[in-house]
Amino acid sequence: MKSYKINVLIILGLLFMVSCEDYLDQAPESTLSQEEVFSNFNNAQGFVEEMYALVVSYEMQTHTFQDFLLGDDGHVNRTVKISGDIDAGNFNAVLSDNFAYFNNHYNSDYGSTGTNSANVENDNNFNRQRPGLYDGSLKGIRKANIIIESIDLMVNATQAEKDVVLGQAYFFRAFFHNEIMKFWGRYPYIDKVLIDDFEIPRPETYKEVALLANEDYKRAIELLPVDWDNEAYGERTLGENKGRVTKGTAYAFQGKNLLLAASPLMFANNGSSINTYQYDTELCDMAVDAFAGILKLADQGRYALASWDNYDEVFWKTPTNNAWPGGTEYIFSAGGGNQGQVERFMTSGVNRDIHGSISENISPTHNFIHNNFGMANGLSIEDDLSGNFGAQDYDPLKPFENRDPRFYRWHIIDGEEIAPKATGSDANQRFAQLWYNTASDAGIHRRTIFDNKKSTTGYMWTKFYPKVDGEYHSRWNNIIGNYSGMRMHMRLTDVYLMYAEALHASKGATTAPASYGLTAEGAINLFRNRAGIPNVHPNIVGDNNKFMDELRRERAVELSYEAHRWVDIRRWGIAHLDKYTRKLALDFPENRSSFTERLIVDRVCSYPQHYWLPFPAAQTQIYEGFPQNPGW
């Protein structure tokens, strides 16, 4: 084994609102020998902590505002933004866009401080930065390989301590490969520390890389604990271990890795055509068995789906101040930044006039809401209007009535009371005014000319936005500082949804696997029952393609505004279809006498070019055998 010096940045705690044991008690940015770093558990775990610091927070990665809804679900009224470049098909700009989790902003390393002005001393907008997703993932892979190659140096550690250090390394090696693969596709699986010249040809298929990652997840499952708090090495950070990876975390991401590899885009492997209903059923079966592992832990009480009454605890309403959000559904997150960043994320779906934060506005698109948030009778609007499932409930002249309860829970609509304490000159802020005739004749919460702080579509979204005792946070009801919203990389609802998708793709809606006694139909009805809407209609269950569509719609609703959508519409092979390229606003006069859909963006998207980001040019020029993605 080749010995080398290791540059170490000391991570104080686990990256969010709580502080933990100060692992690796050396001066910041020390240079230690390999033997010193892995001399004992305390030092080795300190090195592991740096991999947690490299996990990208999609919603709070860089700058003062994060443009993180990159699919058909969000619209930002700003010229320089990542979602605008993606909508325009300008993928080469993605790595340099300021408001993007791909950008290595300020050439960031672990926890460095970024600023919006040259005058650092006087700038109050300090942000906790991490490297962009591509750079950070490569650094994470390297650190994982250093740990795996150095594990035998831990001579002053118990076997359990060595196991958990090694288990985290195997997990993160697979996880960071997956982070790159979600956006760039098939990528060489780097399983050693690269020091000298090297040539690693790009694999022919996504599947072969996913299978290598699967082996690492399997190793991680064997080595990681179910709960750090129940282990001797976890006692030093007792009660503050929620952010660390566990056996359940590894099961969940093992299943996700396999499902993504099985999905239509990866299965087509950039072929001339793509069938959105065609999956790799062998990988689907493997994914189901992986998800079954964590669902069994849920049955044992380790995790639980949040109830409808307690659902806000998953997103922002923590039981005590300064605790992690996520409730009983929490599986894994990047954590977050300082309170200013957290609040900018939490307010990003609501107009600045209401909350007073410096956040800009990400408007939910009408097409996303109309196509996915259906009716109280459990049907999509399309199915309700078809006449094939009974009497019609959707009234085009009253589009905000009789809707799925989740539509009302996670959106502000025109006329809704949002700031009852606003009085005097601010009294016009009390009710949402989202009507629109023209750019110069619109409600005060609707876009006017050159204003990037208002809704551009006719809706606001509130999934991470505090509402207590029926009253939202506002400038007149300042409650946001008591809460900390956070987007999760993985939560239990996502696991059930992916389990249902993989199972249905392989065995249909009504057959349970040998590994777990739940059908895809049963899994989807869990969420519908939670929200108080009927089960999936039997005629939909009986049609394989129709049920897959319904399953995807359920995923869109439950995981709305959680930054999964762009990955989903690409992996399903549908991102280039008109239904997913046309971003719409809903226009209506103040008296709501008519409603008109208006095209605000027609996205540039062709298959397969705009399904994968281009690699940095330097990456494809290191050696032969690493071709660029198609069309770039």
Side-chain angles (χ1 to χ4, degrees), residues 111-126:
S112 65
T113 300
T115 177
N116 291 317
S117 74
N119 188 356
V120 176
E121 292 183 0
N122 295 323
D123 194 299
N124 293 319
N125 294 318
F126 292 113

Side-chain angles (χ1 to χ4, degrees), residues 556-621:
V557 170
E558 280 290 339
L559 299 184
S560 56
Y561 316 119
E562 296 182 46
H564 297 286
R565 182 65 174 174
W566 193 46
V567 173
D568 283 340
I569 61 175
R570 289 187 300 109
R571 71 180 178 88
W572 293 331
I574 57 178
H576 64 289
L577 303 180
D578 287 349
K579 186 175 181 178
Y580 307 95
T581 59
R582 294 169 56 82
K583 290 188 176 182
L584 304 176
L586 184 64
D587 294 345
F588 47 92
E590 189 170 6
N591 65 3
R592 286 183 249 165
S593 58
S594 63
F595 294 85
T596 305
E597 295 180 341
R598 174 169 53 90
L599 179 67
I600 50 177
V601 174
D602 195 358
R603 308 181 75 198
V604 176
C605 184
S606 59
Y607 168 80
Q609 180 180 11
H610 297 105
Y611 276 73
W612 301 115
L613 294 179
F615 286 100
Q619 175 70 66
T620 63
Q621 295 166 4

Side-chain angles (χ1 to χ4, degrees), residues 523-535:
I524 294 307
N525 286 335
L526 290 174
F527 308 118
R528 299 165 75 92
N529 296 160
R530 173 167 65 183
I533 63 173
N535 291 346

Side-chain angles (χ1 to χ4, degrees), residues 480-508:
I480 198 168
N482 298 324
Y483 306 101
S484 295
M486 182 176 68
R487 170 203 173 267
M488 279 159 283
H489 276 68
M490 184 71 70
R491 64 184 181 95
L492 191 60
T493 288
D494 193 4
V495 170
Y496 276 105
L497 288 164
M498 291 189 292
Y499 168 87
E501 181 182 345
L503 179 58
H504 176 60
S506 175
K507 292 182 169 58

